[in-house]
Structures are given as structure tokens and as C-alpha cells.
Amino acid sequence: MSVEKDRISKKQLAFFTIQTAIGEGALTVPFSVHSEASIDGWISMLLAGFATHLAIIMIWTICRKYPMMTMIEFLPKVAGKFAGHLISVLYIIYFIGIASVILMNYCRIINAWIFPTTPKWVIMTLMMVTSYYLAKEKLKIIARFETLVSILLIVIILLIFLPFSKGNPLYIFPIGQSGVGNMMKGMREAVITLAGFELLLMVYPQVKGKDREILKTMLISYTFVILFYVLIILSCFMFFSPMELKIIPEPVLYMLKAFSFRIVERSDLLFLSLWVVIVMTSIVNYVFLASTGITQILKIENSSKVTLLVVVVCLLLALLPHNFLFMSKLNKWFSYFALFMIYLIPIPLLLLSILRGRRKAAE
């Protein structure tokens, strides 16, 4: 049970959710959805958003049955002691894995665009040291910080709007030409980018407000995230031709590189300078979720040492030797793991929680 003074408001939950969901994937999502769904990739993102909303409702339905417990505490009651602890460990591995993958992908982009001669370990270490100082704090402090830095999203959105003035709307027509099958394949790529709502399993008891208010906050937050990604995808699809998009892995940065101002020569570097904060908050949140899970499952009082351990593990995993081909394979493999953890596992958990509730009612 969480202490009342340490609980966060619904507004703070909204910004915590947005900062978790919006990460380095925004730089590459236009390329990934276009590779499967062609110019209908933005439709795939909308379909993925619908699936994500259903998954949020499903997870919320489970959490509302145990409002004062985190996932670590209620899973043994729902799935049994052994299965519950096993699923908890899988989620902790997932949290650590996704933080490491985000770090690896962002470091690759930073190396390619800003610091090509700087060793990767330097960039990664600086990112994780900074992340540790925030992740070791309580949820309320983290949420306050992320509410403050969310103002950067306004600047980022304004930068994304720039290409519309020089874009060609005809590039996205005719709508639906890729076919339903390809749009569904693009949807698979899009749902991975929308990962983050699973945080509700860990922070639900630390949020002030009624159950329906928490659900409403999550749905509104993710509606913003989905529209944000659709905006990015459409801006890239209208700026580049379909043939160009096939060969541009980071279309957002190439697109912004074409714009300059009197005081800013390269808007892509301005974008990356702001984006590093957004990516850091995403890593912080996953490190926090992982360390909270480990602290609860092992019943450890000093959570800062656990957070430090998680940060070191993430850093070591990200520092493993890899190249672009390995990263592509890793991203693909981890995307399937993420789909399993955040979209498939909640289904049997929901069914089990309903059955448990009926048995108690019958008794």
C-alpha cells in the first residue's frame, strides 16, 4: 500500500505515461510502418492505437480488482504463487530489456548524427548516470520532473509541423492502396512504438482518483501519443516520395535537416538536443519500474541500490558488441517479446482474475 502523500495526481500520471510512451521510436517509426504498409502506414498507426486502447482497458480491469496492489503483489493471487512470480520476473526482464534497447538505438543515432568520433560507452554512461539520479527517487518526484519537461513536446511538435508547408499531400493518395493485409503488418510495427501503457500494472496503487478517472486519464494520454505519432508519420510521408522513404531509416532527421532559421542553421540538431530529454525520461521510467519490481519481489528496503544495479545491468547490456545488422535483428526479436508481454499475457490474467472473483462471490 502506498503512502497518501507519495501518490501522484491524474495529471502527473498523464505526463508520466506520455513520457514513457514517446521515445526513440518516433525517429524511425515512419520508416518501419512504410516498409510494411507503404503510404497507408498512418492508418496502421491508427489501428494500432485502437488495439492499444483495448489493451489499456484490459489492464485497467485487472488493476481495479486489486487497487492497493502492484502487479508484483497481486499476480500470485491471480495466477498462483509460482506462475505469479514467474510472470513478475518476465516483466522485470522486459523493463530492463526495453530500457537497454532504447539506450542502444538512441546512442546509434547520436553517434551517426552528432558525435561520430565519440566512443559509444561515453555517451551511454553519461545517459545512464543522469538517468540514475532521477530513477532512484520516488514516483512523485519523477512525475513532477516529467510534467515540467513535457513543455519540450510543444517545441518538438512545432518543428514537426514545418515540413507540411513544403510537403505534397498527393503522396498519401490513394488511401488504402496497400491493402488490408499490409496495413495489418504495419500495425504490428506500430504497436511496438506504442509500448508504455503497461506501467499501469506497477503504478496503479500510487495514483489518486477513482478507477474510472484513472482509465480516462490513460485513454486521453494515449490518444495524444497516437496523434503525435500520426503527425510525425504524415509529415514524413508528405515530405518524401514513397521511393525515398524506402531508403531513409531516420526520415524525421533528414526531413528537419532541410530547414534552417536565422539563428538555427540545422533544425535536426535542435530537435535531437530536445529529444535527448524525452528519451532519457523513457529510460528513467523503465528503470524505475524494473527496480520497483525487484524491490517488491525480494522485499528490499534500500531501493536506490537496486536502481543502481538495474542501471549497471542496462548499461552492460547496451555495451555488448553489436552492429547495425545485429540491432535490426534485436529490435525485431524484442518487438515480438514486447507484443507477448503487453498484449497477450494480460488476456489470461484478465480471465483468471474474473474467475477468481466469481469463485469468491460463490463462496
Side-chain angles (χ1 to χ4, degrees):
M1 183 181 293
S2 60
V3 181
E4 182 66 25
K5 66 178 182 178
D6 293 331
R7 300 173 77 185
I8 61 175
S9 65
K10 297 184 293 294
K11 182 180 73 173
Q12 290 171 333
L13 172 65
F15 287 112
F16 184 81
T17 302
I18 290 170
Q19 293 291 346
T20 306
I22 297 179
E24 48 78 34
L27 301 179
T28 56
V29 68
F31 174 78
S32 60
V33 295
H34 183 271
S35 63
E36 298 289 350
S38 187
I39 60 173
D40 292 318
W42 63 277
I43 300 178
S44 296
M45 178 57 72
L46 290 175
L47 292 173
F50 177 74
T52 300
H53 276 72
L54 292 179
I56 290 172
I57 294 172
M58 186 164 52
I59 289 176
W60 170 81
T61 304
I62 300 171
C63 291
R64 70 180 297 204
K65 293 180 180 294
Y66 307 92
M68 303 310 296
M69 297 182 183
T70 66
M71 169 187 68
I72 306 298
E73 295 166 327
F74 70 67
L75 277 179
K77 299 179 181 293
V78 174
K81 191 172 182 180
F82 176 77
H85 286 311
L86 178 61
I87 296 172
S88 297
V89 171
L90 283 176
Y91 269 106
I92 291 170
I93 292 172
Y94 164 74
F95 293 145
I96 293 174
I98 197 168
S100 303
V101 170
I102 291 172
L103 179 63
M104 292 170 73
N105 286 325
Y106 191 75
C107 180
R108 177 183 61 81
I109 293 171
I110 289 293
N111 255 142
W113 284 83
I114 304 180
F115 304 116
T117 60
T118 303
K120 290 183 179 180
W121 68 267
V122 174
I123 299 173
M124 290 182 180
T125 302
L126 289 173
M127 176 70 87
M128 294 311 293
V129 168
T130 307
S131 299
Y132 167 72
Y133 276 100
L134 183 58
K136 68 182 178 64
E137 301 295 340
K138 294 181 179 179
L139 176 62
K140 192 168 187 177
I141 296 175
I142 296 173
R144 282 176 175 174
F145 174 79
E146 293 180 3
T147 301
L148 177 64
V149 300
S150 290
I151 195 171
L152 297 177
L153 288 172
I154 298 175
V155 182
I156 290 172
I157 290 172
L158 292 176
L159 288 173
I160 296 298
F161 265 113
L162 286 175
F164 281 101
S165 61
K166 295 186 179 181
N168 185 355
L170 295 178
Y171 284 154
I172 64 172
F173 290 99
I175 296 175
Q177 66 166 293
S178 63
V180 176
N182 289 328
M183 282 190 280
M184 295 303 291
K185 290 180 181 178
M187 176 183 170
R188 181 190 64 196
E189 298 292 331
V191 292
I192 304 304
T193 311
L194 295 174
F197 57 87
E198 65 277 9
L199 63 86
L200 197 60
L201 291 165
M202 292 299 296
V203 306
Y204 194 92
Q206 298 187 59
V207 182
K208 298 176 184 177
K210 298 178 181 179
D211 293 335
R212 291 188 179 275
E213 293 174 340
I214 295 175
L215 174 62
K216 183 179 178 181
T217 300
M218 290 295 296
L219 293 177
I220 292 175
S221 301
Y222 256 82
T223 299
F224 172 83
V225 172
I226 292 160
L227 293 177
F228 178 82
Y229 280 127
V230 170
L231 173 66
I232 289 178
I233 292 170
L234 284 176
S235 64
C236 291
F237 282 15
M238 291 170 60
F239 189 82
F240 297 108
S241 70
M243 295 302 295
E244 289 174 321
L245 282 169
K246 290 181 179 180
I247 58 174
I248 304 176
E250 290 105 24
V252 176
L253 298 178
Y254 282 98
M255 176 179 65
L256 292 175
K257 191 176 181 180
F259 293 88
S260 61
F261 308 97
R262 183 170 297 179
I263 57 173
V264 179
E265 185 175 352
R266 290 186 57 182
S267 56
D268 58 314
L269 297 184
L270 172 62
F271 181 91
L272 282 173
S273 299
L274 301 175
W275 200 251
V276 66
V277 180
I278 306 300
V279 174
M280 185 201 71
T281 55
S282 187
I283 294 174
V284 164
N285 293 352
Y286 280 113
V287 169
F288 170 80
L289 295 174
S291 59
T292 301
I294 295 173
T295 301
Q296 291 183 354
I297 203 170
L298 297 179
K299 295 180 172 53
I300 299 174
E301 293 185 3
N302 193 341
S303 60
S304 61
K305 291 183 178 179
V306 177
T307 304
L308 179 60
L309 176 63
V310 172
V311 165
V312 171
V313 170
C314 290
L315 181 59
L316 292 176
L317 288 174
L319 285 173
L320 290 175
H322 59 272
N323 52 31
F324 183 78
L325 181 60
F326 174 81
M327 281 299 302
S328 298
K329 291 181 178 179
L330 178 64
N331 285 329
K332 187 174 183 179
W333 177 86
F334 197 81
S335 68
Y336 288 115
F337 180 52
L339 282 173
F340 175 73
M341 294 302 300
I342 64 179
Y343 289 97
L344 296 183
I345 281 187
I347 296 175
L349 291 180
L350 176 60
L351 295 176
L352 285 171
S353 66
I354 292 173
L355 289 174
R356 295 272 184 182
R358 287 180 178 178
R359 286 179 183 176
K360 286 184 179 180
E363 293 173 357

